Amino acid sequence: MTSKSQILKLYKTLLRESQKFPSYNYRKYSLRMIHDAFQENKNMTDRVLISAQIQEATRNLDIIKRQVVLGQMYSTEKLIIENVFDKV
């Protein structure tokens, strides 16, 4: 069984890893999808479904970690919008 603190830790880890995407678009997309998925499932009470969602989130965390490494290997120049936010 997983506790709320473990789920919160997984949520924070997903957000933290998504912040590492070198691509602005991937970074914003993944952050939005993570937030939306957790908001959608926050009132879930069925333990079997919760366990399945946690397993899916853990698999997605592994995917994000791999994609971050690949993105760092083949990084491109920053977008104009990123440079604007860096100055603020």
Side-chain angles (χ1 to χ4, degrees):
M1 185 175 126
T2 58
S3 66
K4 288 188 179 196
S5 64
Q6 290 171 324
I7 295 171
L8 184 59
K9 182 179 177 182
L10 178 61
Y11 176 70
K12 288 180 179 182
T13 304
L14 282 161
L15 292 177
R16 195 175 309 113
E17 287 299 317
S18 293
Q19 286 288 351
K20 296 179 183 177
F21 273 117
S23 170
Y24 174 82
N25 292 326
Y26 285 129
R27 188 169 50 248
K28 292 299 179 184
Y29 174 77
S30 64
L31 291 171
R32 187 174 59 247
M33 292 304 290
I34 291 165
H35 178 73
D36 291 348
F38 274 82
Q39 283 295 322
E40 182 180 317
N41 296 316
K42 73 179 180 180
N43 295 323
M44 190 177 289
T45 57
D46 185 5
R47 294 186 191 279
V48 174
L49 291 176
I50 291 171
S51 179
Q53 291 293 336
I54 290 171
Q55 288 175 354
E56 181 181 350
T58 304
R59 283 192 302 272
N60 287 336
L61 177 61
D62 292 337
I63 291 169
I64 289 171
K65 287 179 179 180
R66 283 194 303 270
Q67 288 302 116
V68 164
V69 170
L70 286 174
Q72 290 171 347
M73 290 172 62
Y74 302 103
S75 63
T76 59
E77 293 182 28
K78 285 187 172 185
L79 299 174
I80 292 172
I81 194 166
E82 290 178 283
N83 291 331
V84 170
F85 288 129
D86 288 343
K87 293 177 183 176
V88 176

